[in-house]
Amino acid sequence: MFTDRSGSSGGRRRLLAVLGASALIVSACGGSTATPSSAAVASATPAAPASLAAGSPSAVPSDAGYTGPEAAITYSIWGDPQEIKNQQAIVDAFHATTPKITVKVTVSDWEPYWDKLQTSIAGGDAPDVFAMDGPLFPDYQTRDVLLDLKPYIDRDGYDLGQLADQAVADFTTPDGQFGLPRDLNVVALYYNKKMFDAAGIPYPDDTWDWAKLTEVAKQLTLKGADGKTKQWGFYTESTDMENYWSELVWQNGGDIVSPDHKTSLVASDQAAGGIQFLQDLIWKDKVMPDAAITDALGDAFEQGQAAMEANGSWLVATHQAAGLDFGIAPLPKGPAGRATSINPTGAVVYKGSKSPDAAWAFVKYLASPAAQTKLMELKASLPANKAVLTGPFATSFDGAKVLADAIAYAHVKPSFKGFNDWTTALQTELDANVFTEPKKTARQALTDVLPALDKILADQ
């Protein structure tokens, strides 16, 4: 299961079709092994390490010095239709600094994006550069369809240290570096200021824990004269681990899978306890709408019918567009401390690209301060460039610093081969028996599905 982080509109959950492994394998047979052209960068100057305390980003483009041939490349991303306007602005800025390279942008919604990508890879005509979701990266990299960027990085003296460490690591394997992070997202607590003010309750802060969240959510859950809930104290989306339940697992001292990705850890007492807390918010404490209500209502916080929401940074622009007067606080601490998730989106290069040097120049630009500043203005995600993240982004809107600071205690969303099959099996069990209806406790459901989860890992 995956979060549909389409452009700046954020999130409904959608089931991503199982990856077409055969399509990817076919494409691998026809891929070329590109090597950096010595003419592409006549004299590469190593990039200066970005300071975490940096102020305004440098105006010098990271791809300055490209001397390769004229090239026309394609860049494919997921997002809403209007997202092409936003990305086109970045592409136009790149072309102004590097006129020898023309980039054509294509945008598709979440599910069609992956369908089209698999088809194009199978046909040997995939986009030169395309967006890659962190959890899906291993399924593509292990099928030899992505270009190793390490030779280009070494040639140019490119400083990976200027980018968020966790995000860089998500696209790193023992075999090389197969992408650069374009942006990233974390999860935080949104709160409706008007609802808190009306109840005379202080806004959430970094002292909150699970008990405080539950206490205040109960106070802010209001019923009408008919006895039906007219305002919910809390809302989140339970159909993807990223939105909240993986954070609860980590906050309770548990984990999702083992570091070697061979063993499922979600059935431990700590992991089950975190997921049980979310079930209790729905069915025991009754401060959060159940699935039937959510299906009809949508995002209760966005609709002005919930006082708080645990969800991703990709929703900032969506909530602003909805006219909400909201604030952002860190997720409440659990028994084991504070934790959130970080999920990077990478820019990767197709191994069969006919213009790998031009594609690399564009990928570098996407991670540059100039491009990252433009991305920051969309408020759809966090910049991956440290100088932009801790500098202009952190002061760009109310709550931005909370999001930037969350990276310090973030866990990377699990990323491993077979991720889609594994999460689909797990989420199907949780949806049917824990969240949609409380047919089982979290521990019972996780114990029941554990053999299937471990078999999926063993089959990879």
Side-chain angles (χ1 to χ4, degrees):
M1 305 292 288
F2 295 85
T3 300
D4 173 17
R5 293 176 283 127
S6 301
S8 58
S9 69
R12 292 288 80 78
R13 287 311 181 284
R14 299 179 185 174
L15 174 63
L16 174 65
V18 176
L19 285 169
S22 60
L24 294 174
I25 292 172
V26 168
S27 69
C29 298
S32 62
T33 304
T35 56
S37 166
S38 59
V41 177
S43 177
T45 303
S51 168
L52 285 177
S56 60
S58 169
V60 179
S62 65
D63 65 311
Y66 175 80
T67 58
E70 290 190 2
I73 62 174
T74 51
Y75 173 43
S76 184
I77 60 174
W78 64 79
D80 288 335
Q82 65 265 28
E83 181 70 7
I84 196 166
K85 296 179 181 179
N86 302 327
Q87 293 297 325
Q88 190 63 51
I90 295 175
V91 166
D92 290 344
F94 169 72
H95 185 66
T97 63
T98 314
K100 295 177 72 175
I101 302 175
T102 300
V103 181
K104 179 181 179 181
V105 187
T106 60
V107 179
S108 300
D109 203 0
W110 177 254
E111 287 181 31
Y113 172 81
W114 298 102
D115 292 339
K116 292 176 183 178
L117 181 61
Q118 291 166 30
T119 300
S120 64
I121 289 176
D125 60 348
D128 297 281
V129 178
F130 53 93
M132 177 55 61
D133 191 48
L136 287 182
F137 165 72
D139 278 298
Y140 284 81
Q141 190 276 323
T142 55
R143 290 175 173 86
D144 199 29
V145 299
L146 305 182
L147 181 66
D148 181 10
L149 301 180
K150 191 174 187 305
Y152 298 83
I153 292 168
D154 292 344
R155 179 198 67 188
D156 293 0
Y158 184 82
D159 178 28
L160 290 172
Q162 66 186 289
L163 307 176
D165 300 331
Q166 302 103 312
V168 170
D170 219 23
F171 301 100
T172 306
T173 77
D175 298 322
Q177 185 71 39
F178 292 88
L180 293 186
R182 186 196 68 180
D183 58 64
L184 49 91
N185 278 283
V186 296
V187 173
L189 183 68
Y190 294 89
Y191 57 92
N192 186 305
K193 293 182 178 180
K194 291 183 179 179
M195 291 182 183
F196 272 79
D197 292 344
I201 298 174
Y203 298 152
D205 58 28
D206 61 4
T207 67
W208 275 38
D209 57 14
W210 288 4
K212 186 67 173 180
L213 174 67
T214 305
E215 172 194 336
V216 175
K218 288 180 178 179
Q219 294 172 352
L220 290 171
T221 298
L222 308 177
K223 294 184 181 296
D226 58 0
K228 295 182 179 180
T229 300
K230 64 177 183 179
Q231 175 181 296
W232 296 94
F234 180 77
Y235 171 77
T236 190
E237 295 181 62
S238 60
T239 52
D240 188 296
M241 72 169 73
E242 182 177 2
N243 295 80
Y244 197 35
W245 72 248
S246 63
E247 289 82 352
L248 295 173
V249 166
W250 294 319
Q251 290 169 11
N252 204 41
D255 211 339
I256 312 296
V257 295
S258 61
D260 62 5
H261 303 142
K262 294 182 179 180
T263 306
S264 305
L265 303 179
V266 288
S268 70
D269 289 342
Q270 294 85 354
I275 296 174
Q276 186 62 50
F277 177 73
L278 182 55
Q279 185 193 54
D280 288 347
L281 289 176
I282 303 170
W283 295 105
K284 177 184 175 183
D285 303 314
K286 299 186 182 300
V287 298
M288 174 179 161
D290 60 41
I293 296 173
T294 299
D295 287 345
L297 181 63
D299 186 323
F301 186 85
E302 181 184 336
Q303 299 300 323
Q305 296 190 37
M308 294 180 283
E309 174 178 24
N311 220 322
S313 50
W314 58 86
L315 286 178
V316 170
T318 300
H319 290 339
Q320 288 180 337
L324 298 175
D325 183 11
F326 68 92
I328 303 174
L331 289 177
K333 293 175 288 190
R338 194 182 307 283
T340 188
S341 67
I342 180 172
N343 186 7
T345 295
V348 299
V349 177
Y350 175 47
K351 190 173 183 179
S353 171
K354 296 179 181 179
S355 303
D357 292 289
W360 162 241
F362 181 59
V363 167
K364 278 198 299 180
Y365 181 79
L366 289 174
S368 72
Q372 293 278 296
T373 300
K374 288 184 176 295
L375 181 146
M376 172 194 81
E377 294 168 353
L378 304 179
K379 299 177 183 176
S381 56
L382 278 64
N385 187 286
K386 292 176 181 176
V388 180
L389 178 66
T390 61
F393 174 81
T395 58
S396 61
F397 60 89
D398 183 26
K401 190 175 187 302
V402 172
L403 300 176
D405 290 347
I407 294 174
Y409 52 86
H411 296 240
V412 178
K413 185 176 182 179
S415 174
F416 52 88
K417 190 176 178 182
F419 177 87
N420 190 58
D421 289 342
W422 190 91
T423 53
T424 297
L426 172 57
Q427 194 65 53
T428 298
E429 174 69 24
L430 294 177
D431 287 343
N433 297 310
V434 176
F435 299 136
T436 301
E437 292 186 67
K439 297 177 181 178
K440 303 177 184 179
T441 65
R443 181 58 187 269
Q444 289 170 333
L446 293 166
T447 299
D448 289 348
V449 77
L450 186 62
L453 299 180
D454 281 343
K455 184 179 186 304
I456 292 171
L457 296 180
D459 289 343
Q460 301 307 309

